[in-house]
């Protein structure tokens, strides 16, 4: 039985996070913490808000990407480079559990907000530092974005058609992987705090998590000198594995990582004799004969509609999936059953739909409480509630340019 998110405290209830980061990896990590109940306070510059507010399509002048990235966050403005802004941030950090930042190494220190100052006001604080290249090393002071990590990790080099150029993903892949890793790192550090009583610094370089998810590339190179080439939709580990066009013009993806699945697919498409070949017994052997296997599967699928091919594969207990665009995702019954996309009320745009929280917990579920809020919408409320500032004090800080 699933707990009621309206009455059950979420698992990160009571955790306070200051999100100083911009664009994607750091802010998305904070979003993930907020989805499961952390109180996230988004700190933006008074005149230079998080650039993600202006990324991608907008409706009525409102950036849509921000509605997801900023969900479950209260938004305030502080100019951290000013003495009043610095002091206010330190006061907020004194009662926080986590600070997430992605400035170039040395920037917080230049403002008097480095680990020495933050840990002095709050020894239990966890400081998550998310940068392109980490806090040290020859590249640490370079500007870093997910695109550079996708290039440097080896991802782009192995992605694309064999005779084509290295291919970058059309979305923030490295940033998103880094966000997942950052959220995990923060929770690991908080668990460590429960034992030691002290906080610590999380140093996360965006170039590293994507390297981890690429699998055994370093080991293959270390032991065999092997560099994985570009193979398009094919795999060097098994076959058939590709996308195939149906009689109605749509596309289907087939995967045969398991030997039993590969055998079922070939029997289904009427090519039992291939199963009896000695090379068919291993994934690598099948990969070496991908031309033969792709021709067999592709020719069969080309004679069938998407619905008929899907039904036949399902009956044969073989792995297949349609190649969707986002309109298909929004209408798919499995995504609907999982509530993977949910409707969220928004005072600026009305009801809007976005991805739900990452996973389901039976007893302490997460929830989207609100979509991304306007720039600085909660500044006065946060400074009043948390720091006890009066309206005249806030007005004076705003006149000084600190807010």
């Amino acid at each position: 039985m699933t707990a009621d998110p309206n009455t059950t405290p979420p698992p990160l209830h009571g955790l306070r996070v200051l999100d100083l980061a911009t664009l994607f990896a750091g802010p998305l990590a904070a979003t993930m913490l907020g989805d499961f109940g952390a109180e996230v306070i988004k700190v933006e510059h008074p005149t230079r808000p998080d650039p993600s507010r202006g990324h991608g399509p907008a409706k009525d002048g409102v950036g849509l990407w921000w509605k997801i990235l900023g969900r479950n966050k209260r938004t305030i403005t502080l100019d951290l480079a000013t003495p009043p802004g610095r002091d206010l941030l330190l006061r907020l950090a004194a009662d926080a559990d986590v600070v997430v930042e992605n400035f170039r190494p040395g920037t917080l220190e230049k403002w008097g907000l480095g680990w020495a100052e933050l840990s002095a006001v709050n020894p239990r604080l966890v400081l998550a530092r998310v940068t392109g290249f980490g806090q040290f090393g020859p590249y640490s002071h370079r500007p870093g974005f997910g695109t550079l990590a996708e290039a440097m990790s080896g991802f782009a080099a192995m992605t694309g058609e064999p005779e084509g150029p290295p291919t970058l993903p059309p979305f923030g892949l490295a940033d998103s992987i880094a966000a997942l890793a950052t959220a995990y790192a923060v929770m690991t550090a908080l668990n460590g705090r429960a034992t030691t009583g002290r906080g610590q610094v999380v140093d996360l370089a965006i170039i590293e998590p994507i390297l981890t998810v690429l699998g055994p590339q370093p080991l293959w190179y270390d032991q065999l000198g092997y560099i994985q080439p570009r193979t398009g939709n094919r795999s060097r580990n098994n076959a058939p594995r590709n996308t195939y066009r149906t009689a109605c013009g749509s596309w289907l993806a087939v995967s045969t990582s398991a030997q039993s699945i590969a055998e079922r697919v070939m029997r289904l498409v009427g090519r039992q004799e291939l199963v009896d070949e000695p090379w068919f017994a291993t994934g690598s052997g099948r990969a070496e004969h991908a031309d033969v296997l792709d021709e067999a599967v592709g020719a069969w699928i080309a004679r069938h509609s998407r619905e008929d091919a899907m039904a036949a594969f399902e009956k044969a207990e073989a792995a297949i999936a349609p190649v969707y665009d986002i309109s298909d995702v929004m209408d798919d019954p499995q995504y609907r059953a999982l509530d993977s996309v949910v409707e969220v009320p928004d005072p600026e745009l009305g009801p809007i739909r976005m991805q739900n929280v990452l996973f389901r917990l039976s007893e302490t579920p997460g929830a989207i409480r609100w979509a991304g809020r306007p720039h600085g919408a909660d500044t006065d409320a946060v400074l009043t509630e948390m720091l006890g500032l009066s309206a005249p004090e806030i007005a004076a800080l705003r006149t000084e340019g600190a807010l």
Side-chain angles (χ1 to χ4, degrees), residues 115-172:
W115 177 239
E117 292 83 2
L118 290 169
S119 61
V121 300
N122 185 354
R124 291 176 55 80
L125 187 71
V126 170
L127 174 61
R129 316 195 79 165
V130 186
T131 57
F133 303 103
Q135 295 296 308
F136 56 90
Y139 304 159
S140 60
H141 289 276
R142 293 181 181 178
F145 298 98
T147 297
L148 308 188
E150 289 147 12
M152 289 181 61
S153 63
F155 171 85
M158 70 174 72
T159 304
E161 293 300 321
E163 303 305 320
T167 302
L168 296 167
F171 65 100

Side-chain angles (χ1 to χ4, degrees), residues 160-162 230-235 240-244 251 254 294:
E161 293 300 321
R230 289 189 287 282
T231 57
N233 289 325
R234 288 179 173 176
S235 168
R241 189 262 199 185
N242 213 322
T243 57
Y244 307 92
W251 291 86
V254 172
D294 273 346

